[in-house]
Amino acid sequence: MGGGFGDTQPFRTAAGGLIDRNRPRDFTFDGRRLTGFHGDTLASALLANGVRLVGRSFKYHRPRGILSAGSEEPNALVELRSGARREPNTRATMAELYEGLEATSQNRWPSLAVDALSVNALLSPVFAAGFYYKTFMWPASLWERLYEPMIRRAAGLGRAADAPDPDTYDRAHAHCDVLVIGGGPAGLSAALTAGRSGARVILVDEDFATGGRLLAERREIGGASGSEWAARAVAELESLPEVRILTRTTLFGVYDHGAYGAVERVSDHLAVPAAHAPRQRLWRIVARRAVLAAGAIERPHVFGGNDRPGVMLAGAVRTYLNRYGVRPGHRSAVFTSSDDGWRTAADILAAGGGLAAVIDTRPSVPPALRRMAEAAGARVVAGGYVAGTKGHLGLSAIQVVDGYHSTETIPCDGLAMANGWNPVVHLDSHLSRRPVWDEAIHAFVPGTLPSGMQAAGAAAGRFTLADCLETGARAGAEAASECGFTATPEAAAKTDPESVDHTPLWRAPKPRGKAFVDFQNDVAASDVELAHREGFRAVELLKRYTTLGMATDQGKTSNLAGLSIMAELTGKGIPSVGTTVFRPPFTPVAIGAFAGHHRGKDFRATRHVPSHAWAEENGCVFVETGLWLRPAYFSRAGETDWLDTVVREVETVRARVGLCDVTTLGKIDIQGRDVLTFIERVCANPFATLPVGKARYAVLLREDGFVMDDGTIARLGETHYVMTASTANAGRVMQHLEFCRQWLWPELDVQLASVSEQWAHYAVAGPRARDTLRRIVDPGFDISNEAFPFLACAEVTVGGGIPARLFRISFSGELAYELAVPAAYGDAAWRAIMQAGLPYGITAYGSEALSVMRIEKGHAAGPEINGQTTARDLGLGGMLAKKKDYIGRLMKERPALVDPDRPVLAGFRPVDPSARLRAGAHFLGRDAEPSLEADEGVMTSVAYSPSLKTWIGIGLIRRGPERHGERVRAYDPVRGAEIEVEICSAVFVDPREEKLRV
Amino acid sequence: MRYSLFNVLGQALRGQRDWTPQWRDAAPQEAYDVVIVGGGGHGLATAYYLAKEHGLTNVAVLEKSHIGSGNVGRNTTIVRSNYGLPGNIPFYERSMKLWKGLEQDINYNAMVSQRGVLNLYHSDAQRDAYARRGNAMRLAGIDAELLDREGVRRLVPFIDFDNARFPVKGGLLQRRGGTVRHDAVAWGYARAASDRGVDIVQNCAVTGIRRENGRVTGVETSRGFIRAKKVALSVAGSSSLLAGMVDMRLPIESHVLQAFVSEGVKPLIDGVMTFGAGHFYVSQSDKGGLVFGGDIDGYNSYAQRGNLHTIEDVMEGGMALWPGLGRLRLLRHWGGIMDMSMDGSPIIDRTDIGGLYLNAGWCYGGFKATPAAGFCFAHLIARDEPHADASAYRLDRFATGHLIDEKGMGAQPNLH
Amino acid sequence: MSEAMTSLWRPRGAWEGAARIGRPGAAAGPAGIRLSLREGFGLATLIAADGKEGGLRTALADRFGPSLPEAGTAVFEGETGLVWSAPGQWLAVAPSPRDLKGLPEALRGVAAVTDQSDSRALVRISGAQARAMLAKGVAVDLHPRAFGPGRVAVTSIAHIGVQFWQRDAGPTYDLTVARSFAGSFWRWLEHAAAEFGYEIEAAEGADQRRLK
Amino acid sequence: MRIRCPFCGERDNGEFSYLGDAAPRRPDGLDASAAAMHDYVYLRDNPAGTLRELWYHAAGCRSWLVVIRDTRTHAIESVEPARDVARARRAATLTGRADHA
């Protein structure tokens, strides 16, 4: 054990690798203190320390180690960090080592080495694919009580954090001419070629070090080592002003029209993010062209016990040796169907490791390679295969069948599998494209790519380094040229020769023990056989029945193995079996990253009314109304609950005067030559007779005849109107009006401007409203009843020349005005009115009191105008125009909508005056059994009426207006109430509207 | 072979050798009494109930791909009957009752799991709207509970009660709601229908519908012409395309709805929860993945995939409701094609063409309806008159005004 | 009206209660972002009547120069300019609402004029990281090749509608957001600017006392 | 998805709201029949393929747009201001030419 790390890192090579041996990093795994180096992943550091057992599988709880060195890892999943930052199912192969890293194994109890549920492995003959569909059915009542809780507890892998995520997430947009996905030789070549042309280039790479396989192999480019070449390429890219390299960034999804999703792990290599830095950043990239250079993923062999810790992908073995300076074992074997295996053997020997055997499934082995292995004391088996493995919690020997079907056991503590590579075709398939089978390389390669996209290097099935450099450069040049830049690929530098010949072995002919296809989900070759037997032969059915490919790795190392076995069983061939659909994300992405800033209070914007500051200073309780925060009521000292307050506010308005912020209403200025024609077509009631200086209630229908919204329209000038819309519908009404203007009647000369934000809008209501406003409106404007009667409107000034609009409109039923002032003066106007009203006992009132008063007046609002009611239902049928065409005119006349049995608006009072009413109660006849058939309607709005000293309600009930005086039950079982009520007029206060006109 | 613990154990000892295909992969016959187009959950359930309830077994289910390849295998597996309008209530309650005994009925464990469906509310107005709905359910004898904030806290203590933009004030709970293993529904019905003699014909795409004198005579398919006395369309997502073959235009648009699953983790949430102020709902599968979703993307699509805008919107809703989700990872997202109807409710009805029946317009609510849709559609096909529980799902309701618009959004499919 | 009441009529800045003068965010080095809060400006929406764009151009020539800016562009002379907002629609910008007085009369018959001086909050964004910060929120390509001085975008940031235009190559942007959204928009600005460090100042016209 | 607004340039589909098929034409006027109105309001071709549809640039210039898009691939063929399309359509109708819009 050389190198001085023998005590702490027994598998670390003496020298070499891209780790920084001067920067040791302490970390813990299951509480055990270990040391690695800067530049390690958690996986490489664990291997360096001789930790091979890392996790337990999903179903059988089999001991599992580290299979790969990349994002395809199915086995080595850990809980990273702890507490609120705990991250379950984190791939040790992707976790960058940092000082103090804390990792815990998962899905085991009581410990990783002694796991009680590993008994499941013994029961594996029972737990075959789909077994649960066939049992747990009797007795039915036990499913939720016993079987399912048991299954749920056993399932899952890691434990999610149990507290809100303390870190922040960022989102950002980026645009480029050429997006290069992958920072290996092909990606770097593409980026260089495109970047040199002046094109805007973004290179994304999921690794923290750029270079891809160049960092993992002992290769030469133009005389330099691969990693040196990569470092030089990166340096040049960084010097180009229009090139941006995003490392630690996974391009996870391809969306329509050149939109891509990527996630940058800004701070995951740190114990906690730096101050003001996000944990991760979600990039939305828009690219005119994309070069897919995401490389390839190596394929495991399918043989008995192929999941035992110590069995690894051959390419991963080389990564650990060459990049991290870690030997995969003391004495390793290589199981290969390709020349790659021999390269692995050579690298093991070069790193001073022991080589136990090389088993090549191909009958002939080049003599030079055989000599190399045998010289190192290794057994060489040609035309044979590994059938099984031995070992308790890790590999101790392999069982090898040679070309003559005789079996031998070869001791070893590491096994490298080389069964060829699959190009990463995931991303090019996200837009519903299917990859195609390439018989020459025994792999799926990109099929027809979406426009603007091309593949290069191993991702295109071009595996040699020379090909990677060449196809990358060409793809980069083409992409840049298509964006209008002059780019020519330079002749690729010379590389050392290599052979990538391979003949895959899809599964061991006679495996010993369970031969796994999908490691994490414990899907074995025998499960694929069972699926075949039971008719689940389509590849999607195979997946769903066995769960093959549904684990956190989404089958990156297993899909092809599964479908190759199905192909063999059906005799159809791999291309006609086909693949399942590749879906985003390429690797799992934190939910927090997608949400970014939008969580907690920032989930959605909060809109403040102009009087917000005053309200906050004056005990206001606010209520969320859509995005608005509206004053609900203004508590004063001595008031014990909200009802006290609301009653006081209502009584003050009815007796004296009150002030309410109604700015949340939508306000739309409508001008133009054809404005009247436009309004006539949009509104269901007539406007032709509305003179300048007058306002009128307005009803808008949807084209299907139901009420869309109501409001007022005031005529400020000959061709100038202003319309209000309800708070909830303001945006929708504006969109509807634009639709009418631009699409339905483009010939009309109409101009629409939203002035919702320009004007602070205040209701001043109550018998002393005029007295109060006289102290606000500038002298010279006569607002007497004679000069400014009910429904008058005018442009006035306030506060000594500030332009304002005044409307004599009432929602409360009292003498009332709505005053609009420029929003910047909203705060001032509010304070001024409160001061002006002091002598009259003014109160501020909020949406609660507003609602009480509108219910007392029987005005329909949101609960009644809910998209299911017609004007007739709301008692507004009489005001609709008879002699004009307007939106909704025809559809409102459909038979069911004019059925006299439809529930229509009425008022309700409790028979027992002390009884409390609740909205949402249904009406039943006094003696009716509760049933849907007996349902006569529903209470839509209720309030305690200070005027009547009892609860009142309005609602929709069959033939309501014909039934005043009749008693029904307001049935409210979800709140345990049933109240006898009397049907009455919906107008409870001042039915003759005398108060409005004084 | 019957599915039972006994047989499962027996087969464990025999290397699982004796299991046979769960349904016959039939070749199409020349003629059938009934041809059902669409081998999804609804089509297979229809076939099963035609055989079981009406003794009709000369029936074929034609599926253009493999069974269960459409929405039955793409949804978020929720079952519930918490509707508020009389046209819907008895139908979905019929479905709940069929779900309850389904597994014993078809001898297939579809993991019908009634762990509750909770809809959160955030304002008094929303509370009253839920009370209205819950009371309607109670009038029909369906369980519904209106919870206050503390009641919700007891069920889901981990959601954001303190720092929420739209504070949770309570919820409407249907305890009998829950989830069902979606694929197993298709497989289980297929097996049960096949056992009763129904032909399940896969890889058989319908390319035309033949008519004579105003009656259907059969269907043209990729595997030849098949005569049929009755043809029943059950092809949600593609309803307009099939109807187009007989020059019918439907009050339906096809839209994409995305769904999401996280990596598997140990149990976090027991039932189903929907966030009334954001576009987000979530449950956890028996495998441990959080299954969640939100609104449809909002544009017509047959592409079975959506875009980033909706994905972000759904995740924002998730984080706003449940800030502990931040470090959990999204594993996979996909899309299904919804028959979005003009009032948000389905159609189970005859058409103007004799012998042609339509089951369509399920919006994103088709999965929970599977047993009742099959049951009622089979009734309609066999007897030529609507089943009482589905009598409101008429095609002419848009002309008569008998709309079933739960959300009150009107004739705009993407708003339902 | 009494003396006491007149003194109450003071405008309130759109950023009041949301933004405070200071230098928050990452502390190392100079601030990457400068945010200048503007108040007191004049804004008006001008919507051309059908077929009257020519007349509008002529009527505006004296105040705003000879041409109406095309879609996605703005013309400015100092703090006075025209900003394209929608087809046939522009935003007139001036140092003070007073500067826009008389426009409705001047444009009678050719355009509808709507005062919007109070409808929006305006912040001037500059600094070395201004573009990077804005790119976090807007899906519009802000690269100099795609978006330079004189360009305008009507879009949204953090689900909030914004309109912004680039004033110079610095780059400096003027960004407006509806007044009622100012507080929430500011929350996003703080989030986006934090990692760069940022400086907030009150521009001329803003009431300094209320922003501290 | 990216939609190229003729006025604002290419934007994410999140800035737009969707109405649907642009083919149905409102039967204007007092002579319109309930049956025609029913078809306009409720019936759709809903093709799998090219669709002319109405989008509204809600977060941008508030233009209604006619987008020609393939519902199978989402590929967009063209985007035009709805007002221009509507005017052309109206002009075509008024001059008595066949309406191809």
Side-chain angles (χ1 to χ4, degrees), chain B residues 261-278:
Chain B
V261 63
S262 79
E263 293 183 348
V265 286
K266 294 296 179 193
L268 285 173
I269 179 169
D270 208 32
V272 182
M273 173 171 61
T274 72
F275 179 30

Side-chain angles (χ1 to χ4, degrees), chain A residues 399-679:
Chain A
Q399 296 163 300
V400 176
V401 176
D402 67 16
Y404 307 99
H405 309 294
S406 62
T407 305
E408 65 182 299
T409 299
I410 300 174
C412 60
D413 59 355
L415 176 67
M417 300 179 280
N419 197 25
W421 298 73
N422 290 327
V424 170
V425 293
H426 304 64
L427 294 170
D428 40 80
S429 306
H430 283 175
L431 293 180
S432 313
R433 311 285 171 142
R434 297 279 182 156
V436 296
W437 181 253
D438 184 340
E439 193 57 46
I441 61 167
H442 312 286
F444 282 100
V445 294
T448 316
L449 290 172
S451 78
M453 207 186 265
Q454 51 198 314
R462 306 293 295 271
F463 291 130
T464 68
L465 179 53
D467 275 358
C468 287
L469 296 172
E470 198 231 308
T471 58
R474 200 166 48 197
E478 278 173 18
S481 303
E482 286 164 9
C483 295
F485 296 87
T486 307
T488 39
E490 284 181 22
K494 199 169 154 49
T495 61
D496 51 325
E498 68 185 307
S499 159
V500 291
D501 175 64
H502 78 287
T503 309
L505 175 71
W506 296 121
R507 60 166 168 166
K510 289 187 175 154
R512 300 200 168 189
K514 272 214 176 298
F516 286 93
V517 176
D518 183 317
F519 293 98
Q520 193 183 127
N521 270 355
D522 283 327
V523 180
S526 56
D527 292 313
V528 181
E529 291 170 347
L530 178 60
H532 174 258
R533 203 172 296 141
E534 295 197 275
F536 294 87
R537 295 173 188 180
V539 63
E540 278 288 344
L541 290 173
L542 165 68
K543 167 188 149 180
R544 287 154 184 269
Y545 193 60
T546 62
T547 74
L548 170 75
M550 293 172 77
T552 62
D553 58 297
Q554 291 281 286
K556 291 192 177 61
T557 56
S558 62
N559 281 339
L560 187 59
L563 65 92
S564 67
I565 295 171
M566 185 56 79
E568 176 200 316
L569 293 169
T570 54
K572 274 174 146 183
I574 290 174
S576 57
V577 171
T579 64
T580 52
V581 179
F582 295 97
R583 296 282 191 179
F586 175 63
T587 55
V589 179
I591 288 170
F594 285 101
H597 169 66
H598 298 288
R599 50 190 283 203
K601 296 277 190 215
D602 297 311
F603 167 51
R604 290 291 177 265
T606 304
R607 301 178 72 179
H608 286 174
V609 293
S611 63
H612 186 83
W614 185 92
E616 273 192 322
E617 295 159 18
N618 287 275
C620 179
V621 173
F622 295 92
V623 61
E624 289 81 11
T625 310
L627 296 181
W628 288 100
L629 207 54
R630 290 184 78 176
Y633 51 92
F634 299 81
S635 293
R636 286 185 183 170
E639 290 169 348
T640 53
D641 66 2
W642 67 272
L643 191 55
D644 258 15
T645 304
V646 173
V647 166
R648 191 251 309 146
E649 289 177 7
V650 171
E651 286 176 339
T652 309
V653 173
R654 295 249 183 259
R656 297 197 275 275
V657 60
L659 176 61
C660 184
D661 193 330
V662 294
T663 304
T664 59
L665 293 173
K667 301 174 278 292
I668 302 164
D669 265 24
I670 312 176
Q671 304 189 57
R673 202 171 57 236
D674 301 314
V675 58
L676 180 60
T677 308
F678 182 77
I679 287 174

Side-chain angles (χ1 to χ4, degrees), chain B residues 10-271:
Chain B
Q11 283 305 308
L13 301 173
R14 297 179 48 75
Q16 312 282 355
R17 279 200 308 267
D18 303 330
W19 298 117
T20 52
Q22 297 197 352
W23 62 90
R24 281 179 304 111
D25 191 13
Q29 308 283 311
E30 203 174 290
Y32 290 96
D33 290 338
V34 180
V35 160
I36 297 167
V37 185
H42 285 213
L44 293 164
T46 304
Y48 172 70
Y49 292 115
L50 274 176
K52 182 183 176 226
E53 301 291 330
H54 306 282
L56 285 171
T57 55
N58 186 22
V59 172
V61 177
L62 308 185
E63 167 54 48
K64 68 179 171 190
S65 172
H66 54 272
I67 63 161
S69 55
N71 291 333
V72 73
R74 291 169 194 277
N75 60 81
T76 44
T77 81
I78 296 166
V79 300
R80 58 183 171 87
S81 60
N82 56 357
Y83 283 76
L85 294 181
N88 281 326
I89 290 172
F91 175 82
Y92 286 101
E93 182 57 11
R94 159 78 60 181
S95 220
M96 281 309 295
K97 291 195 170 121
L98 288 168
W99 282 123
K100 183 73 188 164
L102 181 69
E103 294 157 319
Q104 290 70 30
D105 187 22
I106 62 174
N107 182 227
Y108 207 93
N109 185 358
M111 299 175 214
V112 177
S113 176
Q114 295 176 295
R115 284 171 284 121
V117 171
L118 173 65
N119 294 329
L120 301 173
Y121 63 75
H122 309 267
S123 67
D124 291 356
Q126 236 179 354
R127 176 201 60 212
D128 293 342
Y130 280 158
R132 174 180 182 168
R133 199 206 293 190
N135 285 332
M137 292 163 65
R138 294 282 283 268
L139 280 173
I142 301 170
D143 71 308
E145 293 166 54
L146 194 68
L147 305 182
D148 62 9
R149 190 175 153 97
E150 290 315 305
V152 169
R153 198 191 290 272
R154 277 192 292 276
L155 285 178
V156 285
F158 43 80
I159 66 174
D160 191 349
F161 287 93
D162 305 319
N163 187 40
R165 170 69 182 82
F166 300 103
V168 174
K169 296 201 165 167
L172 180 68
L173 173 67
Q174 184 184 23
R175 290 192 192 269
R176 289 159 65 239
T179 58
V180 178
R181 170 82 180 95
H182 56 5
D183 289 324
V185 175
W187 305 336
Y189 273 123
R191 174 167 167 268
S194 180
D195 282 353
R196 287 177 182 265
V198 170
D199 276 1
I200 293 169
V201 186
Q202 302 182 101
N203 300 307
C204 181
V206 170
T207 53
I209 299 171
R210 264 197 218 168
R211 289 173 280 175
E212 263 170 44
N213 307 321
R215 269 200 78 82
V216 292
T217 57
V219 290
E220 316 269 5
T221 79
S222 55
R223 296 172 75 168
F225 178 68
I226 301 172
R227 271 191 294 124
K229 293 181 187 144
K230 294 181 175 181
V231 174
L233 305 181
S234 191
V235 290
S238 303
S239 298
S240 299
L241 305 182
L242 272 288
M245 292 175 187
V246 288
D247 305 318
M248 266 173 71
R249 298 169 80 217
L250 298 177
I252 286 174
E253 290 179 1
S254 295
H255 283 257
V256 60
L257 175 67
Q258 302 197 61
F260 307 83
V261 63
S262 79
E263 293 183 348
V265 286
K266 294 296 179 193
L268 285 173
I269 179 169
D270 208 32

Side-chain angles (χ1 to χ4, degrees), chain A residues 58 81 84-90 107 125-126 128 132-138 140 143-144 148 152-160 163-165 167 169 171 255-256 260 279 282 284 430-432 521 530 533-536 538 540-541 543-545 550-552 554 581 583-585 588-592 594-595 598-601 603-606 624 626-627 702 704 706 732 866-868 894-897 919-922 924 930-932 935 938 971-975, chain B residues 2-5 8-9 12 15-17 19-23 66-67 73-74 89-90 103-104 107-109 111-115 124 127-128 131-132 134-136 138-140 144 146 163-167 181 183-184 187 263-270 275 277-278 284-288 292 303-309 311-313 315-317 319-320 323-335 398-403 405-411 415:
Chain A
F58 183 80
R81 309 175 205 266
R85 289 196 167 88
R86 187 165 65 206
E87 293 154 29
N89 307 335
T90 302
N107 205 34
V126 181
Y132 28 70
Y133 300 122
K134 297 172 182 148
T135 182
F136 297 132
M137 281 177 277
W138 295 270
W143 173 252
E144 282 96 347
E148 191 181 40
R152 286 171 79 83
R153 265 200 302 279
L157 286 165
R159 299 162 303 153
D165 190 343
D167 293 335
Y169 296 86
R171 290 203 307 225
Y255 301 92
D256 285 315
Y260 299 81
R279 176 187 171 221
L282 190 96
R284 273 198 189 204
H430 283 175
L431 293 180
S432 313
N521 270 355
L530 178 60
R533 203 172 296 141
E534 295 197 275
F536 294 87
E540 278 288 344
L541 290 173
K543 167 188 149 180
R544 287 154 184 269
Y545 193 60
M550 293 172 77
T552 62
Q554 291 281 286
V581 179
R583 296 282 191 179
V589 179
I591 288 170
F594 285 101
H598 298 288
R599 50 190 283 203
K601 296 277 190 215
F603 167 51
R604 290 291 177 265
T606 304
E624 289 81 11
L627 296 181
R702 298 190 308 228
D704 68 354
F706 292 86
R732 201 166 171 215
N866 63 356
Q868 300 167 330
R894 284 176 285 175
L897 304 187
H922 287 243
L924 298 177
S931 73
L932 275 183
D935 189 3
V938 68
Y971 181 68
D972 187 25
V974 294
R975 286 172 290 207
Chain B
R2 191 171 163 73
Y3 289 171
S4 67
L5 182 60
V8 166
L9 291 175
Q16 312 282 355
R17 279 200 308 267
W19 298 117
T20 52
Q22 297 197 352
W23 62 90
H66 54 272
I67 63 161
R74 291 169 194 277
I89 290 172
E103 294 157 319
Q104 290 70 30
N107 182 227
Y108 207 93
N109 185 358
M111 299 175 214
V112 177
S113 176
Q114 295 176 295
R115 284 171 284 121
D124 291 356
R127 176 201 60 212
D128 293 342
R132 174 180 182 168
N135 285 332
R138 294 282 283 268
L139 280 173
L146 194 68
N163 187 40
R165 170 69 182 82
F166 300 103
R181 170 82 180 95
D183 289 324
W187 305 336
E263 293 183 348
V265 286
K266 294 296 179 193
L268 285 173
I269 179 169
D270 208 32
F275 179 30
Q284 189 171 17
S285 79
D286 283 349
K287 274 194 76 202
F292 55 100
Q304 294 190 331
R305 58 186 171 75
N307 276 288
L308 268 172
H309 174 74
I311 299 168
E312 289 182 350
D313 186 63
M315 306 288 165
E316 288 169 6
M319 279 298 278
L325 292 182
R327 304 176 99 84
L328 265 186
R329 300 186 195 92
L330 171 68
L331 175 61
R332 185 176 173 90
H333 70 81
W334 64 94
F398 302 96
T400 63
H402 289 96
L403 304 162
D405 187 350
E406 292 266 347
K407 286 192 177 172
M409 298 314 290
L415 299 182

Side-chain angles (χ1 to χ4, degrees), chain B residues 332-368:
Chain B
R332 185 176 173 90
H333 70 81
W334 64 94
I337 303 307
M338 309 292 113
D339 262 13
M340 296 303 295
S341 74
M342 285 284 173
D343 64 355
S345 293
I347 295 155
I348 299 179
D349 203 356
R350 289 170 290 231
T351 66
D352 290 343
I353 296 160
L356 183 65
Y357 304 87
L358 180 66
N359 169 39
W362 288 96
C363 298
Y364 35 76
F367 177 67
K368 72 178 90 70

Side-chain angles (χ1 to χ4, degrees), chain A residues 760-993:
Chain A
H761 217 78
Y762 298 144
V764 185
R768 308 308 295 271
R770 187 180 298 120
D771 298 328
T772 303
L773 273 180
R774 278 204 169 113
R775 296 160 60 101
I776 295 297
V777 175
D778 285 343
F781 295 100
D782 182 358
I783 61 168
S784 69
N785 197 34
E786 297 68 38
F788 200 74
F790 182 53
L791 293 176
C793 67
E795 291 181 294
V796 299
T797 63
V798 295
I802 299 163
R805 291 173 173 178
L806 188 65
F807 310 86
R808 193 162 158 199
I809 293 171
S810 178
F811 200 51
S812 57
E814 298 298 326
L815 164 67
Y817 300 82
E818 288 182 10
L819 176 71
V821 300
Y825 289 96
D827 179 76
W830 182 276
R831 291 171 199 270
I833 298 168
M834 287 303 290
Q835 190 166 335
L838 262 185
Y840 313 111
I842 194 169
T843 182
Y845 67 99
S847 58
E848 286 292 337
L850 189 73
S851 172
V852 170
M853 289 188 279
R854 72 98 185 165
I855 293 167
E856 287 182 334
K857 288 298 294 178
H859 291 314
E864 291 78 34
I865 303 177
N866 63 356
Q868 300 167 330
T869 46
T870 64
R872 195 178 278 105
D873 297 344
L874 301 176
L876 305 173
M879 69 163 62
L880 301 190
K882 310 279 184 297
K883 290 184 181 150
K884 65 170 185 177
D885 186 28
Y886 56 91
I887 299 271
R889 178 179 66 90
L890 281 168
M891 288 290 96
K892 76 177 192 310
E893 299 300 330
R894 284 176 285 175
L897 304 187
V898 296
D899 183 342
D901 265 341
R902 262 181 90 80
V904 290
L905 194 74
F908 302 88
R909 296 176 202 244
V911 172
D912 168 2
S914 67
R916 177 173 182 167
L917 301 182
R918 294 196 190 270
H922 287 243
F923 298 120
L924 298 177
R926 281 173 83 182
D927 305 314
E929 279 296 307
S931 73
L932 275 183
E933 292 68 35
D935 189 3
E936 297 199 39
V938 68
M939 188 91 81
T940 49
S941 299
V942 301
Y944 176 77
S945 166
S947 314
L948 280 74
K949 306 281 185 266
T950 176
W951 283 83
I952 59 170
I954 59 174
L956 301 159
I957 189 165
R958 283 181 200 161
R959 295 180 181 266
E962 302 166 23
R963 296 167 66 185
H964 290 180
E966 192 181 319
R967 290 179 179 185
V968 292
R969 287 139 69 210
Y971 181 68
D972 187 25
V974 294
R975 286 172 290 207
E978 190 173 328
I979 312 284
E980 200 174 1
V981 294
E982 184 183 305
I983 306 173
C984 58
S985 160
V987 185
F988 295 88
V989 168
D990 188 24
R992 299 173 63 181
E993 307 214 314

